[in-house]
Amino acid sequence: MLKKKKTEVYALGQHISMSADKARRVIDQIRGRSYEETLLILELTPYRACYPIFKLVYSAAANARSNVGSNEANLLISKAEVHEGTTIKKFKPRARGRSYSIKRPTCHLTIVMKDISLDAKDEEINSLKKRKNSRGGRGTWDKK
């Protein structure tokens, strides 16, 4: 039996100091796009959330290059998620001995990239297996 090669790699960014809603605004723009197109969007978009997401996409591509051995031209962002992290609570001193609470939200980012060239090879192998198994002698035929 043939071994199925892993086609997905991911990168996690935890406790990034920004609101999850602000990060989602950028993540929604890059979900489902190719690697090069994603880098262009992140470089040209004027939001503060773009820089940590850019670093995370670059890290996921480096993981794909080193772990799977794939080329950047074949990478596609298959899944991009943002979850709320812990809230950092601080106190700022104010007049007359009072204090003012500051709440800094954090978020967790997950970028999953898929190599479409390896995925296409797996589909070809699976279609060949189905064709081979469908010739069982009971009158089954391929409808293609």
Side-chain angles (χ1 to χ4, degrees):
M1 186 164 165
L2 293 171
K3 244 186 187 178
K4 187 175 181 185
K5 195 168 184 182
K6 189 176 170 185
T7 61
E8 288 188 344
V9 291
Y10 66 95
L12 293 174
Q14 294 187 331
H15 304 290
I16 295 174
S17 180
M18 77 176 68
S19 169
D21 292 328
K22 292 177 183 177
R24 270 190 207 106
R25 179 171 54 179
V26 178
I27 286 285
D28 289 338
Q29 297 293 321
I30 65 168
R31 191 177 291 124
R33 302 205 186 230
S34 68
Y35 173 67
E36 286 110 9
E37 191 176 1
T38 300
L39 291 184
L40 275 173
I41 289 170
L42 291 174
E43 284 177 4
L44 299 175
T45 308
Y47 298 126
R48 194 185 120 218
C50 290
Y51 183 67
I53 294 171
F54 178 84
K55 286 173 63 174
L56 207 59
V57 168
Y58 194 77
S59 174
N63 290 343
R65 192 178 329 114
S66 66
N67 297 343
V68 183
S70 62
N71 191 3
E72 285 92 1
N74 300 327
L75 292 177
L76 180 79
I77 295 181
S78 62
K79 193 158 95 173
E81 295 178 346
V82 179
H83 299 290
E84 289 185 9
T86 57
T87 302
I88 300 170
K89 297 177 178 105
K90 297 180 181 179
F91 289 104
K92 186 171 184 177
R94 304 299 288 192
R96 294 183 179 177
R98 297 187 178 124
S99 64
Y100 177 74
S101 64
I102 298 171
K103 295 177 182 171
R104 297 283 310 262
T106 62
C107 65
H108 304 314
L109 302 174
T110 305
I111 303 286
V112 180
M113 297 187 110
K114 190 175 200 178
D115 191 348
I116 53 176
S117 67
L118 294 177
D119 196 34
K121 287 178 186 176
D122 286 340
E123 287 177 11
E124 288 176 18
I125 291 171
N126 289 338
S127 66
L128 288 174
K129 283 182 186 177
K130 286 180 186 177
R131 233 182 245 162
K132 184 178 178 183
N133 292 338
S134 67
R135 296 179 189 157
R138 288 183 265 206
T140 58
W141 51 280
D142 195 10
K143 292 184 179 179
K144 286 185 182 178

PDB file of all heavy atoms in Angstrom, residues 19-48:
ATOM      1  N   SER A  19      -6.526  42.993  18.980  1.00  0.00           N
ATOM      2  CA  SER A  19      -7.885  42.502  19.096  1.00  0.00           C
ATOM      3  C   SER A  19      -8.152  41.432  18.035  1.00  0.00           C
ATOM      4  O   SER A  19      -7.639  41.503  16.916  1.00  0.00           O
ATOM      5  CB  SER A  19      -8.858  43.671  18.909  1.00  0.00           C
ATOM      6  OG  SER A  19     -10.162  43.203  18.764  1.00  0.00           O
ATOM      7  N   ALA A  20      -8.961  40.439  18.387  1.00  0.00           N
ATOM      8  CA  ALA A  20      -9.284  39.372  17.437  1.00  0.00           C
ATOM      9  C   ALA A  20     -10.102  39.912  16.273  1.00  0.00           C
ATOM     10  O   ALA A  20      -9.964  39.441  15.137  1.00  0.00           O
ATOM     11  CB  ALA A  20     -10.043  38.258  18.146  1.00  0.00           C
ATOM     12  N   ASP A  21     -10.935  40.914  16.516  1.00  0.00           N
ATOM     13  CA  ASP A  21     -11.741  41.495  15.433  1.00  0.00           C
ATOM     14  C   ASP A  21     -10.871  42.211  14.404  1.00  0.00           C
ATOM     15  O   ASP A  21     -11.126  42.141  13.200  1.00  0.00           O
ATOM     16  CB  ASP A  21     -12.763  42.474  16.000  1.00  0.00           C
ATOM     17  CG  ASP A  21     -13.827  41.775  16.812  1.00  0.00           C
ATOM     18  OD1 ASP A  21     -14.159  40.622  16.471  1.00  0.00           O
ATOM     19  OD2 ASP A  21     -14.330  42.376  17.780  1.00  0.00           O
ATOM     20  N   LYS A  22      -9.841  42.890  14.868  1.00  0.00           N
ATOM     21  CA  LYS A  22      -8.941  43.588  13.942  1.00  0.00           C
ATOM     22  C   LYS A  22      -8.114  42.599  13.123  1.00  0.00           C
ATOM     23  O   LYS A  22      -7.807  42.851  11.964  1.00  0.00           O
ATOM     24  CB  LYS A  22      -8.026  44.540  14.708  1.00  0.00           C
ATOM     25  CG  LYS A  22      -8.788  45.701  15.306  1.00  0.00           C
ATOM     26  CD  LYS A  22      -7.884  46.597  16.110  1.00  0.00           C
ATOM     27  CE  LYS A  22      -8.697  47.702  16.755  1.00  0.00           C
ATOM     28  NZ  LYS A  22      -7.871  48.553  17.606  1.00  0.00           N
ATOM     29  N   ALA A  23      -7.752  41.485  13.737  1.00  0.00           N
ATOM     30  CA  ALA A  23      -7.012  40.461  12.996  1.00  0.00           C
ATOM     31  C   ALA A  23      -7.919  39.749  12.002  1.00  0.00           C
ATOM     32  O   ALA A  23      -7.493  39.409  10.892  1.00  0.00           O
ATOM     33  CB  ALA A  23      -6.392  39.462  13.964  1.00  0.00           C
ATOM     34  N   ARG A  24      -9.189  39.528  12.359  1.00  0.00           N
ATOM     35  CA  ARG A  24     -10.134  38.866  11.452  1.00  0.00           C
ATOM     36  C   ARG A  24     -10.374  39.665  10.192  1.00  0.00           C
ATOM     37  O   ARG A  24     -10.608  39.111   9.122  1.00  0.00           O
ATOM     38  CB  ARG A  24     -11.472  38.648  12.168  1.00  0.00           C
ATOM     39  CG  ARG A  24     -11.538  37.342  12.870  1.00  0.00           C
ATOM     40  CD  ARG A  24     -12.929  37.024  13.376  1.00  0.00           C
ATOM     41  NE  ARG A  24     -12.779  36.141  14.519  1.00  0.00           N
ATOM     42  CZ  ARG A  24     -12.947  36.497  15.772  1.00  0.00           C
ATOM     43  NH1 ARG A  24     -13.316  37.729  16.066  1.00  0.00           N
ATOM     44  NH2 ARG A  24     -12.765  35.632  16.740  1.00  0.00           N
ATOM     45  N   ARG A  25     -10.313  41.002  10.307  1.00  0.00           N
ATOM     46  CA  ARG A  25     -10.513  41.873   9.150  1.00  0.00           C
ATOM     47  C   ARG A  25      -9.465  41.590   8.074  1.00  0.00           C
ATOM     48  O   ARG A  25      -9.772  41.601   6.884  1.00  0.00           O
ATOM     49  CB  ARG A  25     -10.433  43.328   9.628  1.00  0.00           C
ATOM     50  CG  ARG A  25     -10.601  44.349   8.555  1.00  0.00           C
ATOM     51  CD  ARG A  25     -10.734  45.726   9.115  1.00  0.00           C
ATOM     52  NE  ARG A  25      -9.642  46.080  10.017  1.00  0.00           N
ATOM     53  CZ  ARG A  25      -9.540  47.259  10.618  1.00  0.00           C
ATOM     54  NH1 ARG A  25     -10.467  48.163  10.468  1.00  0.00           N
ATOM     55  NH2 ARG A  25      -8.523  47.512  11.403  1.00  0.00           N
ATOM     56  N   VAL A  26      -8.255  41.271   8.484  1.00  0.00           N
ATOM     57  CA  VAL A  26      -7.178  40.970   7.528  1.00  0.00           C
ATOM     58  C   VAL A  26      -7.216  39.497   7.113  1.00  0.00           C
ATOM     59  O   VAL A  26      -7.038  39.178   5.931  1.00  0.00           O
ATOM     60  CB  VAL A  26      -5.810  41.334   8.148  1.00  0.00           C
ATOM     61  CG1 VAL A  26      -4.680  40.986   7.208  1.00  0.00           C
ATOM     62  CG2 VAL A  26      -5.771  42.799   8.499  1.00  0.00           C
ATOM     63  N   ILE A  27      -7.476  38.609   8.054  1.00  0.00           N
ATOM     64  CA  ILE A  27      -7.491  37.169   7.768  1.00  0.00           C
ATOM     65  C   ILE A  27      -8.567  36.831   6.734  1.00  0.00           C
ATOM     66  O   ILE A  27      -8.365  35.973   5.876  1.00  0.00           O
ATOM     67  CB  ILE A  27      -7.714  36.377   9.073  1.00  0.00           C
ATOM     68  CG1 ILE A  27      -6.453  36.402   9.921  1.00  0.00           C
ATOM     69  CG2 ILE A  27      -8.134  34.952   8.802  1.00  0.00           C
ATOM     70  CD1 ILE A  27      -5.335  35.523   9.446  1.00  0.00           C
ATOM     71  N   ASP A  28      -9.708  37.519   6.790  1.00  0.00           N
ATOM     72  CA  ASP A  28     -10.779  37.256   5.826  1.00  0.00           C
ATOM     73  C   ASP A  28     -10.361  37.606   4.400  1.00  0.00           C
ATOM     74  O   ASP A  28     -10.893  37.054   3.442  1.00  0.00           O
ATOM     75  CB  ASP A  28     -12.039  38.037   6.196  1.00  0.00           C
ATOM     76  CG  ASP A  28     -12.704  37.480   7.439  1.00  0.00           C
ATOM     77  OD1 ASP A  28     -12.456  36.298   7.758  1.00  0.00           O
ATOM     78  OD2 ASP A  28     -13.476  38.218   8.093  1.00  0.00           O
ATOM     79  N   GLN A  29      -9.415  38.535   4.254  1.00  0.00           N
ATOM     80  CA  GLN A  29      -8.948  38.927   2.922  1.00  0.00           C
ATOM     81  C   GLN A  29      -8.023  37.890   2.302  1.00  0.00           C
ATOM     82  O   GLN A  29      -7.959  37.774   1.076  1.00  0.00           O
ATOM     83  CB  GLN A  29      -8.205  40.265   2.997  1.00  0.00           C
ATOM     84  CG  GLN A  29      -9.062  41.414   3.449  1.00  0.00           C
ATOM     85  CD  GLN A  29     -10.131  41.740   2.444  1.00  0.00           C
ATOM     86  OE1 GLN A  29      -9.899  41.707   1.240  1.00  0.00           O
ATOM     87  NE2 GLN A  29     -11.315  42.040   2.934  1.00  0.00           N
ATOM     88  N   ILE A  30      -7.293  37.112   3.121  1.00  0.00           N
ATOM     89  CA  ILE A  30      -6.272  36.207   2.569  1.00  0.00           C
ATOM     90  C   ILE A  30      -6.711  34.752   2.527  1.00  0.00           C
ATOM     91  O   ILE A  30      -6.024  33.929   1.943  1.00  0.00           O
ATOM     92  CB  ILE A  30      -4.952  36.320   3.358  1.00  0.00           C
ATOM     93  CG1 ILE A  30      -5.118  35.831   4.792  1.00  0.00           C
ATOM     94  CG2 ILE A  30      -4.414  37.729   3.315  1.00  0.00           C
ATOM     95  CD1 ILE A  30      -3.830  35.653   5.524  1.00  0.00           C
ATOM     96  N   ARG A  31      -7.823  34.417   3.134  1.00  0.00           N
ATOM     97  CA  ARG A  31      -8.258  33.013   3.193  1.00  0.00           C
ATOM     98  C   ARG A  31      -8.569  32.495   1.789  1.00  0.00           C
ATOM     99  O   ARG A  31      -9.305  33.115   1.026  1.00  0.00           O
ATOM    100  CB  ARG A  31      -9.494  32.899   4.080  1.00  0.00           C
ATOM    101  CG  ARG A  31      -9.863  31.486   4.410  1.00  0.00           C
ATOM    102  CD  ARG A  31     -11.044  31.433   5.354  1.00  0.00           C
ATOM    103  NE  ARG A  31     -10.685  31.937   6.677  1.00  0.00           N
ATOM    104  CZ  ARG A  31     -11.326  32.930   7.295  1.00  0.00           C
ATOM    105  NH1 ARG A  31     -12.329  33.531   6.720  1.00  0.00           N
ATOM    106  NH2 ARG A  31     -10.945  33.322   8.488  1.00  0.00           N
ATOM    107  N   GLY A  32      -7.966  31.349   1.427  1.00  0.00           N
ATOM    108  CA  GLY A  32      -8.206  30.723   0.132  1.00  0.00           C
ATOM    109  C   GLY A  32      -7.345  31.243  -1.000  1.00  0.00           C
ATOM    110  O   GLY A  32      -7.543  30.858  -2.149  1.00  0.00           O
ATOM    111  N   ARG A  33      -6.393  32.102  -0.726  1.00  0.00           N
ATOM    112  CA  ARG A  33      -5.545  32.669  -1.783  1.00  0.00           C
ATOM    113  C   ARG A  33      -4.198  31.969  -1.840  1.00  0.00           C
ATOM    114  O   ARG A  33      -3.807  31.261  -0.932  1.00  0.00           O
ATOM    115  CB  ARG A  33      -5.342  34.154  -1.538  1.00  0.00           C
ATOM    116  CG  ARG A  33      -6.652  34.903  -1.477  1.00  0.00           C
ATOM    117  CD  ARG A  33      -6.449  36.316  -1.830  1.00  0.00           C
ATOM    118  NE  ARG A  33      -7.693  37.037  -1.619  1.00  0.00           N
ATOM    119  CZ  ARG A  33      -8.226  37.816  -2.526  1.00  0.00           C
ATOM    120  NH1 ARG A  33      -7.650  37.983  -3.681  1.00  0.00           N
ATOM    121  NH2 ARG A  33      -9.349  38.449  -2.271  1.00  0.00           N
ATOM    122  N   SER A  34      -3.488  32.209  -2.925  1.00  0.00           N
ATOM    123  CA  SER A  34      -2.170  31.611  -3.086  1.00  0.00           C
ATOM    124  C   SER A  34      -1.149  32.357  -2.217  1.00  0.00           C
ATOM    125  O   SER A  34      -1.417  33.444  -1.708  1.00  0.00           O
ATOM    126  CB  SER A  34      -1.741  31.651  -4.547  1.00  0.00           C
ATOM    127  OG  SER A  34      -1.520  32.988  -4.943  1.00  0.00           O
ATOM    128  N   TYR A  35       0.028  31.757  -2.088  1.00  0.00           N
ATOM    129  CA  TYR A  35       1.063  32.313  -1.208  1.00  0.00           C
ATOM    130  C   TYR A  35       1.554  33.670  -1.702  1.00  0.00           C
ATOM    131  O   TYR A  35       1.632  34.629  -0.932  1.00  0.00           O
ATOM    132  CB  TYR A  35       2.216  31.312  -1.114  1.00  0.00           C
ATOM    133  CG  TYR A  35       3.424  31.816  -0.382  1.00  0.00           C
ATOM    134  CD1 TYR A  35       3.376  32.073   0.978  1.00  0.00           C
ATOM    135  CD2 TYR A  35       4.615  32.036  -1.050  1.00  0.00           C
ATOM    136  CE1 TYR A  35       4.475  32.538   1.658  1.00  0.00           C
ATOM    137  CE2 TYR A  35       5.724  32.494  -0.376  1.00  0.00           C
ATOM    138  CZ  TYR A  35       5.650  32.743   0.980  1.00  0.00           C
ATOM    139  OH  TYR A  35       6.750  33.212   1.646  1.00  0.00           O
ATOM    140  N   GLU A  36       1.865  33.781  -3.000  1.00  0.00           N
ATOM    141  CA  GLU A  36       2.387  35.043  -3.528  1.00  0.00           C
ATOM    142  C   GLU A  36       1.353  36.152  -3.463  1.00  0.00           C
ATOM    143  O   GLU A  36       1.662  37.304  -3.137  1.00  0.00           O
ATOM    144  CB  GLU A  36       2.864  34.869  -4.971  1.00  0.00           C
ATOM    145  CG  GLU A  36       4.169  34.126  -5.104  1.00  0.00           C
ATOM    146  CD  GLU A  36       3.978  32.760  -5.702  1.00  0.00           C
ATOM    147  OE1 GLU A  36       2.867  32.461  -6.171  1.00  0.00           O
ATOM    148  OE2 GLU A  36       4.946  31.989  -5.689  1.00  0.00           O
ATOM    149  N   GLU A  37       0.102  35.808  -3.766  1.00  0.00           N
ATOM    150  CA  GLU A  37      -0.967  36.800  -3.716  1.00  0.00           C
ATOM    151  C   GLU A  37      -1.195  37.279  -2.277  1.00  0.00           C
ATOM    152  O   GLU A  37      -1.436  38.464  -2.035  1.00  0.00           O
ATOM    153  CB  GLU A  37      -2.248  36.175  -4.277  1.00  0.00           C
ATOM    154  CG  GLU A  37      -3.352  37.142  -4.533  1.00  0.00           C
ATOM    155  CD  GLU A  37      -4.549  36.480  -5.181  1.00  0.00           C
ATOM    156  OE1 GLU A  37      -4.527  35.259  -5.424  1.00  0.00           O
ATOM    157  OE2 GLU A  37      -5.517  37.203  -5.433  1.00  0.00           O
ATOM    158  N   THR A  38      -1.062  36.366  -1.340  1.00  0.00           N
ATOM    159  CA  THR A  38      -1.224  36.718   0.070  1.00  0.00           C
ATOM    160  C   THR A  38      -0.138  37.685   0.524  1.00  0.00           C
ATOM    161  O   THR A  38      -0.424  38.663   1.220  1.00  0.00           O
ATOM    162  CB  THR A  38      -1.170  35.445   0.931  1.00  0.00           C
ATOM    163  OG1 THR A  38      -2.225  34.582   0.533  1.00  0.00           O
ATOM    164  CG2 THR A  38      -1.314  35.763   2.387  1.00  0.00           C
ATOM    165  N   LEU A  39       1.104  37.427   0.117  1.00  0.00           N
ATOM    166  CA  LEU A  39       2.187  38.333   0.514  1.00  0.00           C
ATOM    167  C   LEU A  39       1.987  39.728  -0.060  1.00  0.00           C
ATOM    168  O   LEU A  39       2.236  40.734   0.620  1.00  0.00           O
ATOM    169  CB  LEU A  39       3.531  37.768   0.060  1.00  0.00           C
ATOM    170  CG  LEU A  39       4.005  36.501   0.768  1.00  0.00           C
ATOM    171  CD1 LEU A  39       5.384  36.127   0.277  1.00  0.00           C
ATOM    172  CD2 LEU A  39       4.002  36.662   2.263  1.00  0.00           C
ATOM    173  N   LEU A  40       1.501  39.811  -1.294  1.00  0.00           N
ATOM    174  CA  LEU A  40       1.223  41.123  -1.896  1.00  0.00           C
ATOM    175  C   LEU A  40       0.128  41.857  -1.135  1.00  0.00           C
ATOM    176  O   LEU A  40       0.240  43.059  -0.866  1.00  0.00           O
ATOM    177  CB  LEU A  40       0.804  40.964  -3.359  1.00  0.00           C
ATOM    178  CG  LEU A  40       1.938  40.883  -4.365  1.00  0.00           C
ATOM    179  CD1 LEU A  40       1.401  40.550  -5.739  1.00  0.00           C
ATOM    180  CD2 LEU A  40       2.679  42.190  -4.401  1.00  0.00           C
ATOM    181  N   ILE A  41      -0.935  41.151  -0.796  1.00  0.00           N
ATOM    182  CA  ILE A  41      -2.041  41.779  -0.069  1.00  0.00           C
ATOM    183  C   ILE A  41      -1.563  42.283   1.285  1.00  0.00           C
ATOM    184  O   ILE A  41      -1.876  43.412   1.697  1.00  0.00           O
ATOM    185  CB  ILE A  41      -3.208  40.774   0.094  1.00  0.00           C
ATOM    186  CG1 ILE A  41      -3.890  40.546  -1.249  1.00  0.00           C
ATOM    187  CG2 ILE A  41      -4.226  41.273   1.117  1.00  0.00           C
ATOM    188  CD1 ILE A  41      -4.886  39.423  -1.249  1.00  0.00           C
ATOM    189  N   LEU A  42      -0.779  41.469   1.989  1.00  0.00           N
ATOM    190  CA  LEU A  42      -0.336  41.857   3.324  1.00  0.00           C
ATOM    191  C   LEU A  42       0.670  43.005   3.299  1.00  0.00           C
ATOM    192  O   LEU A  42       0.716  43.811   4.226  1.00  0.00           O
ATOM    193  CB  LEU A  42       0.259  40.643   4.050  1.00  0.00           C
ATOM    194  CG  LEU A  42      -0.744  39.558   4.426  1.00  0.00           C
ATOM    195  CD1 LEU A  42      -0.028  38.361   5.004  1.00  0.00           C
ATOM    196  CD2 LEU A  42      -1.780  40.078   5.390  1.00  0.00           C
ATOM    197  N   GLU A  43       1.472  43.089   2.247  1.00  0.00           N
ATOM    198  CA  GLU A  43       2.431  44.192   2.153  1.00  0.00           C
ATOM    199  C   GLU A  43       1.739  45.518   1.845  1.00  0.00           C
ATOM    200  O   GLU A  43       2.173  46.574   2.297  1.00  0.00           O
ATOM    201  CB  GLU A  43       3.468  43.900   1.074  1.00  0.00           C
ATOM    202  CG  GLU A  43       4.508  42.899   1.492  1.00  0.00           C
ATOM    203  CD  GLU A  43       5.479  42.589   0.366  1.00  0.00           C
ATOM    204  OE1 GLU A  43       5.371  43.205  -0.702  1.00  0.00           O
ATOM    205  OE2 GLU A  43       6.337  41.718   0.579  1.00  0.00           O
ATOM    206  N   LEU A  44       0.667  45.465   1.068  1.00  0.00           N
ATOM    207  CA  LEU A  44       0.039  46.704   0.606  1.00  0.00           C
ATOM    208  C   LEU A  44      -1.156  47.152   1.443  1.00  0.00           C
ATOM    209  O   LEU A  44      -1.658  48.245   1.240  1.00  0.00           O
ATOM    210  CB  LEU A  44      -0.399  46.536  -0.855  1.00  0.00           C
ATOM    211  CG  LEU A  44       0.743  46.257  -1.832  1.00  0.00           C
ATOM    212  CD1 LEU A  44       0.205  45.996  -3.209  1.00  0.00           C
ATOM    213  CD2 LEU A  44       1.727  47.403  -1.847  1.00  0.00           C
ATOM    214  N   THR A  45      -1.629  46.316   2.361  1.00  0.00           N
ATOM    215  CA  THR A  45      -2.759  46.689   3.202  1.00  0.00           C
ATOM    216  C   THR A  45      -2.255  47.505   4.388  1.00  0.00           C
ATOM    217  O   THR A  45      -1.304  47.105   5.056  1.00  0.00           O
ATOM    218  CB  THR A  45      -3.490  45.421   3.694  1.00  0.00           C
ATOM    219  OG1 THR A  45      -3.793  44.614   2.565  1.00  0.00           O
ATOM    220  CG2 THR A  45      -4.771  45.779   4.401  1.00  0.00           C
ATOM    221  N   PRO A  46      -2.896  48.649   4.688  1.00  0.00           N
ATOM    222  CA  PRO A  46      -2.345  49.553   5.701  1.00  0.00           C
ATOM    223  C   PRO A  46      -2.788  49.289   7.138  1.00  0.00           C
ATOM    224  O   PRO A  46      -2.862  50.211   7.931  1.00  0.00           O
ATOM    225  CB  PRO A  46      -2.860  50.911   5.236  1.00  0.00           C
ATOM    226  CG  PRO A  46      -4.160  50.601   4.611  1.00  0.00           C
ATOM    227  CD  PRO A  46      -3.994  49.270   3.952  1.00  0.00           C
ATOM    228  N   TYR A  47      -3.090  48.044   7.511  1.00  0.00           N
ATOM    229  CA  TYR A  47      -3.519  47.745   8.877  1.00  0.00           C
ATOM    230  C   TYR A  47      -2.354  47.260   9.722  1.00  0.00           C
ATOM    231  O   TYR A  47      -1.428  46.635   9.214  1.00  0.00           O
ATOM    232  CB  TYR A  47      -4.628  46.692   8.876  1.00  0.00           C
ATOM    233  CG  TYR A  47      -5.878  47.117   8.158  1.00  0.00           C
ATOM    234  CD1 TYR A  47      -6.420  46.337   7.149  1.00  0.00           C
ATOM    235  CD2 TYR A  47      -6.526  48.295   8.482  1.00  0.00           C
ATOM    236  CE1 TYR A  47      -7.565  46.721   6.489  1.00  0.00           C
ATOM    237  CE2 TYR A  47      -7.671  48.691   7.831  1.00  0.00           C
ATOM    238  CZ  TYR A  47      -8.187  47.902   6.831  1.00  0.00           C
ATOM    239  OH  TYR A  47      -9.319  48.285   6.188  1.00  0.00           O
ATOM    240  N   ARG A  48      -2.436  47.504  11.034  1.00  0.00           N
ATOM    241  CA  ARG A  48      -1.380  47.087  11.942  1.00  0.00           C
ATOM    242  C   ARG A  48      -1.314  45.578  12.086  1.00  0.00           C
ATOM    243  O   ARG A  48      -0.270  45.008  12.380  1.00  0.00           O
ATOM    244  CB  ARG A  48      -1.622  47.732  13.308  1.00  0.00           C
ATOM    245  CG  ARG A  48      -0.435  47.646  14.221  1.00  0.00           C
ATOM    246  CD  ARG A  48      -0.762  48.173  15.593  1.00  0.00           C
ATOM    247  NE  ARG A  48      -0.556  47.078  16.530  1.00  0.00           N
ATOM    248  CZ  ARG A  48      -1.303  46.830  17.569  1.00  0.00           C
ATOM    249  NH1 ARG A  48      -2.348  47.586  17.809  1.00  0.00           N
ATOM    250  NH2 ARG A  48      -1.040  45.832  18.367  1.00  0.00           N
TER     251      ARG A  48
END
